[in-house]
Amino acid sequence: MCRTYFRIFYRVKIEGKENIPSNNGVLLCSNHIHLLDPPLVGAFLKRQTRFMAKAELFQAPILKQLLPKLGAFPIRRGMSDRQAMRTGLKLLKESEVVGLFPEGTRSKTGKLGKGLTGVGFFALRSNAAVIPCAVIGSYKWFSTLKVVYGPPVDMETLRERKASPEEATQLIMQGIQQLLNENSKREKQD
């Protein structure tokens, strides 16, 4: 349903789907520029993506029924939500794709913000492939939206030396920023 919506109202370009492993856990980490980022990032993948969503959304009449059916699970923002952390790790161990927006909220400027350490926690505590993702474009109807899935971020060295979640988060954010920079560079050349 989401894929059809995006194909009707936007010119969607998808790059790097081959970087998403066909099995095993995947931690999909994307920038966040619009409310529609979660369905856009997940709609064109063969595997279902389970997104963390702010707990307040699960209290809205329609969304509280819809979000669980779409595979979303709640997180209480602004605090350490142990239940959300356990759920995310369990899904990764069960070879699911878990989607996170490391900034924790939408960017008001369109620029990549600072990542929260929760993403580093998941990356270090699981053996999941960590895939950076960039959403590029405007959500104005009939404009071009691009989703770029980058190559996995190498977490093995950090896992072996028991690096901090902050360090892992920084490496993941660099991967997302690199995708944004490469796209910007290509647009300038065209």
Coordinates of all heavy atoms in Angstrom, one line a residue, residues 8-79:
I8 N 2.6 6.7 -7.0 CA 1.6 7.6 -7.6 C 2.0 9.0 -7.4 O 1.9 9.8 -8.3 CB 0.2 7.3 -7.0 CG1 -0.2 5.9 -7.4 CG2 -0.8 8.4 -7.4 CD1 -1.5 5.4 -6.8
F9 N 2.4 9.4 -6.2 CA 2.6 10.8 -5.8 C 4.0 11.4 -5.9 O 4.2 12.6 -5.8 CB 2.0 11.1 -4.5 CG 0.5 10.9 -4.4 CD1 -0.1 9.8 -3.8 CD2 -0.4 11.8 -5.1 CE1 -1.5 9.7 -3.8 CE2 -1.7 11.7 -5.1 CZ -2.3 10.6 -4.5
Y10 N 5.0 10.5 -6.1 CA 6.4 11.0 -6.1 C 7.1 10.2 -7.2 O 6.7 9.1 -7.6 CB 7.1 10.7 -4.8 CG 6.4 11.4 -3.6 CD1 5.5 10.7 -2.8 CD2 6.6 12.8 -3.4 CE1 4.8 11.3 -1.8 CE2 6.0 13.4 -2.3 CZ 5.1 12.7 -1.5 OH 4.4 13.3 -0.5
R11 N 8.2 10.8 -7.6 CA 9.2 10.1 -8.5 C 10.2 9.5 -7.6 O 11.1 10.2 -7.1 CB 9.8 11.0 -9.5 CG 8.8 11.5 -10.6 CD 9.5 12.3 -11.7 NE 10.2 13.5 -11.2 CZ 9.7 14.7 -11.1 NH1 8.5 15.0 -11.4 NH2 10.5 15.7 -10.6
V12 N 10.1 8.3 -7.2 CA 11.0 7.6 -6.2 C 12.1 6.9 -6.9 O 11.9 6.2 -7.9 CB 10.2 6.6 -5.4 CG1 11.1 5.9 -4.4 CG2 9.0 7.3 -4.6
K13 N 13.3 7.2 -6.4 CA 14.5 6.5 -6.9 C 15.1 5.8 -5.7 O 15.3 6.4 -4.6 CB 15.5 7.5 -7.4 CG 15.0 8.2 -8.7 CD 16.1 9.2 -9.2 CE 15.6 9.9 -10.5 NZ 16.5 10.8 -11.0
I14 N 15.4 4.5 -5.9 CA 16.0 3.7 -4.9 C 17.4 3.3 -5.3 O 17.6 2.8 -6.4 CB 15.2 2.5 -4.6 CG1 13.7 2.9 -4.3 CG2 15.8 1.6 -3.5 CD1 13.5 3.6 -3.0
E15 N 18.4 3.5 -4.4 CA 19.8 3.0 -4.7 C 20.3 2.2 -3.6 O 20.0 2.5 -2.4 CB 20.7 4.3 -4.9 CG 20.4 5.1 -6.1 CD 21.3 6.3 -6.2 OE1 22.3 6.4 -5.5 OE2 21.1 7.2 -7.1
G16 N 21.1 1.2 -3.9 CA 21.8 0.4 -2.9 C 21.0 -0.7 -2.2 O 21.4 -1.2 -1.2
K17 N 19.9 -1.1 -2.8 CA 19.1 -2.2 -2.2 C 20.0 -3.5 -2.0 O 19.7 -4.3 -1.1 CB 17.8 -2.5 -3.0 CG 16.7 -1.6 -2.7 CD 15.4 -2.0 -3.1 CE 15.2 -2.9 -4.3 NZ 13.8 -3.1 -4.7
E18 N 20.9 -3.6 -2.9 CA 21.8 -4.8 -2.8 C 22.6 -4.8 -1.5 O 23.2 -5.8 -1.1 CB 22.7 -4.9 -4.0 CG 23.8 -3.8 -4.1 CD 23.3 -2.5 -4.7 OE1 22.1 -2.3 -5.0 OE2 24.2 -1.6 -4.8
N19 N 22.7 -3.7 -0.8 CA 23.5 -3.6 0.4 C 22.7 -4.2 1.6 O 23.3 -4.3 2.7 CB 23.9 -2.1 0.7 CG 24.9 -1.6 -0.2 OD1 25.9 -2.4 -0.6 ND2 24.7 -0.4 -0.7
I20 N 21.4 -4.5 1.4 CA 20.6 -5.0 2.5 C 20.7 -6.5 2.5 O 20.3 -7.2 1.5 CB 19.1 -4.6 2.4 CG1 18.9 -3.1 2.2 CG2 18.3 -5.2 3.5 CD1 19.2 -2.3 3.4
P21 N 21.3 -7.1 3.5 CA 21.4 -8.6 3.6 C 20.0 -9.2 3.5 O 19.1 -8.7 4.0 CB 22.1 -8.9 4.9 CG 22.7 -7.6 5.3 CD 21.9 -6.5 4.7
S22 N 20.0 -10.4 2.8 CA 18.7 -11.1 2.6 C 18.3 -11.9 3.9 O 17.2 -12.3 4.0 CB 18.8 -12.0 1.4 OG 19.8 -12.9 1.5
N23 N 19.2 -12.1 4.8 CA 18.9 -12.7 6.0 C 19.8 -12.1 7.1 O 20.5 -11.2 6.9 CB 19.1 -14.3 5.9 CG 20.5 -14.6 5.4 OD1 21.4 -13.8 5.5 ND2 20.6 -15.8 4.8
N24 N 19.6 -12.6 8.3 CA 20.3 -12.1 9.5 C 19.7 -10.7 9.9 O 19.0 -10.1 9.1 CB 21.8 -12.0 9.3 CG 22.4 -13.4 9.1 OD1 21.9 -14.4 9.7 ND2 23.4 -13.5 8.3
G25 N 20.1 -10.3 11.1 CA 19.6 -9.0 11.6 C 20.2 -7.8 10.9 O 21.4 -7.9 10.5
V26 N 19.4 -6.8 10.7 CA 19.9 -5.6 10.0 C 19.4 -4.4 10.9 O 18.2 -4.3 11.2 CB 19.3 -5.4 8.6 CG1 19.7 -4.1 8.0 CG2 19.8 -6.6 7.7
L27 N 20.3 -3.5 11.2 CA 20.0 -2.2 11.8 C 20.1 -1.2 10.8 O 21.2 -0.8 10.3 CB 21.0 -2.0 13.0 CG 20.8 -0.8 13.8 CD1 19.4 -0.8 14.5 CD2 21.9 -0.6 14.9
L28 N 18.9 -0.7 10.3 CA 18.8 0.3 9.3 C 18.8 1.7 9.9 O 17.8 2.0 10.6 CB 17.6 0.0 8.4 CG 17.4 0.8 7.2 CD1 18.5 0.6 6.2 CD2 16.1 0.3 6.5
C29 N 19.7 2.5 9.6 CA 19.9 3.8 10.3 C 19.8 5.0 9.3 O 20.6 5.1 8.4 CB 21.2 3.9 11.0 SG 21.5 2.6 12.2
S30 N 18.8 5.8 9.4 CA 18.5 6.8 8.4 C 18.4 8.2 9.0 O 18.0 8.4 10.2 CB 17.2 6.5 7.7 OG 16.9 7.5 6.7
N31 N 18.7 9.2 8.1 CA 18.3 10.6 8.5 C 16.8 10.7 8.6 O 16.1 9.8 8.1 CB 19.0 11.6 7.5 CG 18.4 11.4 6.1 OD1 18.2 10.3 5.6 ND2 18.3 12.6 5.4
H32 N 16.3 11.8 9.2 CA 14.9 11.9 9.4 C 14.5 13.4 9.0 O 14.8 14.3 9.7 CB 14.6 11.6 10.8 CG 13.1 11.3 11.1 ND1 12.2 11.1 10.1 CD2 12.5 11.1 12.3 CE1 11.0 10.8 10.7 NE2 11.2 10.8 12.0
I33 N 13.7 13.5 7.9 CA 13.3 14.8 7.4 C 11.8 15.0 7.3 O 11.4 16.1 7.2 CB 14.0 15.2 6.0 CG1 13.6 14.1 5.0 CG2 15.5 15.3 6.1 CD1 14.0 14.4 3.6
H34 N 11.1 13.9 7.5 CA 9.6 14.0 7.3 C 8.9 12.9 8.0 O 9.5 11.8 8.2 CB 9.3 14.0 5.8 CG 7.9 14.5 5.4 ND1 6.8 13.6 5.5 CD2 7.5 15.7 5.0 CE1 5.8 14.3 5.1 NE2 6.1 15.6 4.8
L35 N 7.6 13.1 8.3 CA 6.8 12.1 8.9 C 6.7 10.8 8.1 O 6.5 9.7 8.6 CB 5.4 12.6 9.2 CG 5.2 13.6 10.3 CD1 3.8 14.2 10.3 CD2 5.4 12.9 11.6
L36 N 6.8 11.0 6.8 CA 6.7 9.8 5.9 C 8.0 9.0 5.7 O 8.0 8.1 4.9 CB 6.1 10.3 4.5 CG 4.7 10.7 4.6 CD1 4.2 11.3 3.2 CD2 3.7 9.7 5.1
D37 N 9.0 9.4 6.3 CA 10.3 8.7 6.2 C 10.2 7.2 6.5 O 10.7 6.4 5.7 CB 11.4 9.3 7.0 CG 11.9 10.7 6.5 OD1 11.6 11.0 5.4 OD2 12.5 11.4 7.3
P38 N 9.6 6.8 7.6 CA 9.5 5.4 7.9 C 8.9 4.5 6.8 O 9.5 3.6 6.3 CB 8.8 5.3 9.2 CG 9.0 6.6 9.9 CD 9.0 7.6 8.7
P39 N 7.7 4.9 6.3 CA 7.1 4.0 5.3 C 7.9 4.1 4.0 O 8.1 3.1 3.3 CB 5.7 4.6 5.1 CG 5.6 5.9 5.7 CD 6.7 5.9 6.8
L40 N 8.5 5.3 3.7 CA 9.4 5.4 2.5 C 10.6 4.5 2.6 O 10.9 3.7 1.6 CB 9.8 6.8 2.2 CG 10.7 7.1 1.0 CD1 10.0 6.7 -0.3 CD2 11.2 8.5 1.0
V41 N 11.3 4.6 3.7 CA 12.5 3.8 3.8 C 12.2 2.3 3.8 O 13.0 1.5 3.2 CB 13.2 4.2 5.2 CG1 14.3 3.2 5.5 CG2 13.8 5.6 5.1
G42 N 11.1 1.9 4.3 CA 10.8 0.4 4.4 C 10.0 -0.1 3.2 O 10.1 -1.3 2.9
A43 N 9.3 0.7 2.5 CA 8.4 0.3 1.5 C 9.0 -0.5 0.3 O 8.3 -1.4 -0.3 CB 7.5 1.4 0.9
F44 N 10.2 -0.2 -0.1 CA 10.8 -0.7 -1.3 C 11.8 -1.9 -1.0 O 12.5 -2.3 -1.9 CB 11.4 0.4 -2.1 CG 10.4 1.4 -2.6 CD1 10.1 2.5 -1.9 CD2 9.8 1.1 -3.8 CE1 9.1 3.4 -2.3 CE2 8.8 2.0 -4.3 CZ 8.5 3.1 -3.5
L45 N 11.8 -2.4 0.2 CA 12.6 -3.5 0.6 C 11.8 -4.8 0.6 O 10.6 -4.8 0.8 CB 13.2 -3.3 2.0 CG 14.1 -2.1 2.2 CD1 14.6 -2.0 3.6 CD2 15.3 -2.2 1.3
K46 N 12.5 -5.9 0.3 CA 11.8 -7.2 0.3 C 11.5 -7.6 1.7 O 10.5 -8.4 1.9 CB 12.7 -8.2 -0.4 CG 12.8 -8.0 -1.9 CD 13.7 -9.0 -2.5 CE 13.8 -8.7 -4.0 NZ 14.7 -9.6 -4.7
R47 N 12.3 -7.2 2.7 CA 12.1 -7.6 4.0 C 11.3 -6.5 4.8 O 11.5 -5.3 4.5 CB 13.4 -7.8 4.7 CG 14.2 -8.9 4.1 CD 15.6 -9.0 4.7 NE 15.5 -9.5 6.1 CZ 16.5 -9.6 6.9 NH1 17.7 -9.2 6.5 NH2 16.4 -10.0 8.1
Q48 N 10.4 -6.9 5.7 CA 9.7 -5.9 6.5 C 10.7 -5.2 7.5 O 11.5 -5.9 8.0 CB 8.6 -6.6 7.3 CG 7.8 -5.6 8.2 CD 6.8 -6.2 9.1 OE1 6.8 -7.4 9.4 NE2 5.8 -5.4 9.5
T49 N 10.5 -3.9 7.6 CA 11.3 -3.1 8.5 C 10.5 -2.8 9.7 O 9.4 -2.3 9.6 CB 11.8 -1.9 7.8 OG1 12.5 -2.2 6.6 CG2 12.8 -1.1 8.7
R50 N 11.0 -3.1 10.9 CA 10.3 -2.8 12.1 C 10.9 -1.5 12.7 O 12.0 -1.5 13.1 CB 10.5 -3.9 13.1 CG 10.2 -5.3 12.6 CD 8.7 -5.6 12.5 NE 8.1 -5.4 13.8 CZ 7.9 -6.4 14.7 NH1 8.4 -7.6 14.5 NH2 7.3 -6.1 15.9
F51 N 10.1 -0.4 12.7 CA 10.6 0.8 13.2 C 10.2 1.1 14.6 O 9.1 0.8 15.0 CB 10.0 2.0 12.3 CG 10.6 2.1 11.0 CD1 10.0 1.5 9.9 CD2 11.8 2.8 10.8 CE1 10.6 1.6 8.6 CE2 12.4 2.9 9.6 CZ 11.8 2.3 8.5
M52 N 11.1 1.8 15.3 CA 10.7 2.4 16.6 C 9.9 3.6 16.3 O 10.3 4.4 15.5 CB 12.0 2.7 17.4 CG 12.6 1.7 18.2 SD 13.9 2.4 19.2 CE 14.4 1.0 20.0
A53 N 8.9 3.8 17.1 CA 8.1 5.1 16.9 C 7.8 5.6 18.3 O 7.6 4.9 19.3 CB 6.8 4.8 16.2
K54 N 7.7 7.0 18.4 CA 7.5 7.6 19.7 C 6.2 7.1 20.2 O 5.2 6.9 19.5 CB 7.6 9.1 19.6 CG 6.5 9.8 18.7 CD 6.8 11.3 18.7 CE 5.8 12.0 17.8 NZ 6.0 13.4 17.8
A55 N 6.2 6.8 21.5 CA 5.1 6.2 22.2 C 3.8 7.0 22.1 O 2.7 6.4 22.0 CB 5.4 6.0 23.7
E56 N 3.9 8.3 21.9 CA 2.7 9.2 21.8 C 1.9 8.8 20.6 O 0.6 8.9 20.6 CB 3.1 10.7 21.7 CG 3.8 11.2 22.9 CD 5.3 10.9 22.9 OE1 5.9 10.8 21.8 OE2 5.9 10.8 23.9
L57 N 2.5 8.3 19.5 CA 1.8 7.9 18.3 C 0.8 6.7 18.6 O -0.2 6.6 17.9 CB 2.8 7.6 17.2 CG 3.6 8.7 16.6 CD1 4.6 8.2 15.6 CD2 2.7 9.8 16.0
F58 N 1.2 5.9 19.5 CA 0.4 4.7 19.8 C -0.8 5.0 20.7 O -1.6 4.2 21.0 CB 1.3 3.6 20.5 CG 2.3 3.0 19.7 CD1 3.5 3.6 19.4 CD2 2.0 1.8 19.0 CE1 4.4 3.0 18.6 CE2 2.9 1.2 18.2 CZ 4.1 1.8 18.0
Q59 N -1.0 6.3 21.0 CA -2.2 6.8 21.7 C -3.2 7.4 20.8 O -4.4 7.6 21.2 CB -1.8 7.7 22.8 CG -0.9 7.1 23.9 CD -0.2 8.0 24.8 OE1 -0.4 9.2 24.7 NE2 0.5 7.5 25.7
A60 N -2.8 7.7 19.6 CA -3.8 8.3 18.6 C -4.7 7.2 18.1 O -4.3 6.1 17.8 CB -3.0 8.9 17.4
P61 N -6.0 7.5 18.0 CA -7.0 6.5 17.7 C -6.7 5.6 16.5 O -6.8 4.4 16.6 CB -8.3 7.4 17.4 CG -8.1 8.6 18.2 CD -6.6 8.9 18.2
I62 N -6.4 6.1 15.4 CA -6.2 5.3 14.2 C -4.8 4.7 14.2 O -4.6 3.5 14.0 CB -6.3 6.1 12.9 CG1 -7.8 6.6 12.8 CG2 -5.9 5.3 11.7 CD1 -8.1 7.5 11.6
L63 N -3.8 5.4 14.6 CA -2.4 5.0 14.6 C -2.2 3.8 15.6 O -1.4 2.9 15.4 CB -1.5 6.1 14.9 CG -1.3 7.2 13.8 CD1 -0.4 8.3 14.3 CD2 -0.9 6.5 12.5
K64 N -2.9 3.8 16.8 CA -2.7 2.8 17.7 C -3.1 1.4 17.2 O -2.6 0.4 17.6 CB -3.3 3.1 19.1 CG -4.8 2.9 19.1 CD -5.3 3.3 20.5 CE -6.8 3.3 20.6 NZ -7.3 3.6 21.9
Q65 N -4.0 1.4 16.2 CA -4.3 0.1 15.5 C -3.4 -0.2 14.4 O -3.1 -1.3 14.2 CB -5.8 0.2 15.0 CG -6.8 0.5 16.1 CD -7.0 -0.6 17.1 OE1 -6.9 -1.8 16.7 NE2 -7.2 -0.2 18.3
L66 N -3.0 0.9 13.7 CA -2.2 0.7 12.4 C -0.8 0.4 12.7 O -0.2 -0.5 12.0 CB -2.4 2.0 11.6 CG -1.7 2.0 10.2 CD1 -2.3 0.9 9.3 CD2 -1.8 3.3 9.6
L67 N -0.1 1.1 13.6 CA 1.3 1.0 13.8 C 1.8 -0.4 14.1 O 2.7 -0.9 13.5 CB 1.8 2.0 14.8 CG 1.8 3.5 14.4 CD1 2.1 4.4 15.5 CD2 2.7 3.7 13.2
P68 N 1.1 -1.1 15.1 CA 1.6 -2.5 15.3 C 1.4 -3.4 14.1 O 2.2 -4.3 13.9 CB 0.7 -2.9 16.5 CG 0.2 -1.7 17.1 CD 0.1 -0.7 16.0
K69 N 0.4 -3.2 13.3 CA 0.2 -4.0 12.1 C 1.3 -3.7 11.1 O 1.6 -4.6 10.3 CB -1.2 -3.7 11.5 CG -2.3 -4.3 12.3 CD -3.6 -4.0 11.8 CE -4.7 -4.5 12.7 NZ -6.0 -4.2 12.3
L70 N 1.9 -2.5 11.1 CA 3.0 -2.2 10.2 C 4.3 -2.6 10.8 O 5.4 -2.4 10.2 CB 3.0 -0.7 9.9 CG 1.8 -0.2 9.1 CD1 1.8 1.4 9.1 CD2 1.8 -0.8 7.8
G71 N 4.3 -3.2 12.0 CA 5.5 -3.7 12.6 C 6.2 -2.7 13.5 O 7.3 -3.0 14.0
A72 N 5.6 -1.6 13.8 CA 6.3 -0.6 14.6 C 6.1 -1.0 16.1 O 5.2 -1.6 16.5 CB 5.7 0.8 14.4
F73 N 7.1 -0.5 16.9 CA 7.0 -0.7 18.3 C 7.4 0.6 19.0 O 8.1 1.4 18.5 CB 7.8 -1.9 18.8 CG 9.3 -1.8 18.5 CD1 10.2 -1.4 19.5 CD2 9.8 -2.1 17.3 CE1 11.5 -1.3 19.3 CE2 11.2 -2.0 17.0 CZ 12.0 -1.6 18.0
P74 N 6.8 0.9 20.2 CA 6.9 2.2 20.8 C 8.2 2.4 21.6 O 8.8 1.4 22.1 CB 5.7 2.2 21.8 CG 5.5 0.8 22.1 CD 5.8 0.0 20.9
I75 N 8.6 3.6 21.7 CA 9.8 4.0 22.5 C 9.4 5.3 23.2 O 8.8 6.2 22.6 CB 11.1 4.2 21.8 CG1 12.2 4.5 22.8 CG2 11.0 5.2 20.7 CD1 13.6 4.3 22.2
R76 N 9.6 5.4 24.5 CA 9.4 6.6 25.2 C 10.7 7.5 25.1 O 11.7 7.1 25.6 CB 9.1 6.3 26.7 CG 7.8 5.6 26.9 CD 7.5 5.3 28.3 NE 8.5 4.2 28.6 CZ 8.9 3.9 29.8 NH1 8.5 4.5 30.9 NH2 9.7 2.9 30.0
R77 N 10.5 8.6 24.4 CA 11.7 9.5 24.2 C 12.0 10.3 25.4 O 11.2 10.5 26.3 CB 11.4 10.4 23.0 CG 11.1 9.6 21.7 CD 11.0 10.5 20.5 NE 10.1 11.6 20.7 CZ 10.0 12.7 19.9 NH1 10.8 12.7 18.8 NH2 9.2 13.6 20.1
G78 N 13.3 10.7 25.4 CA 13.8 11.5 26.5 C 14.2 10.8 27.8 O 14.5 11.3 28.8
M79 N 14.1 9.4 27.7 CA 14.5 8.6 28.9 C 15.0 7.3 28.4 O 14.9 6.9 27.2 CB 13.3 8.4 29.8 CG 12.2 7.6 29.1 SD 10.7 7.5 30.2 CE 10.0 9.1 30.0

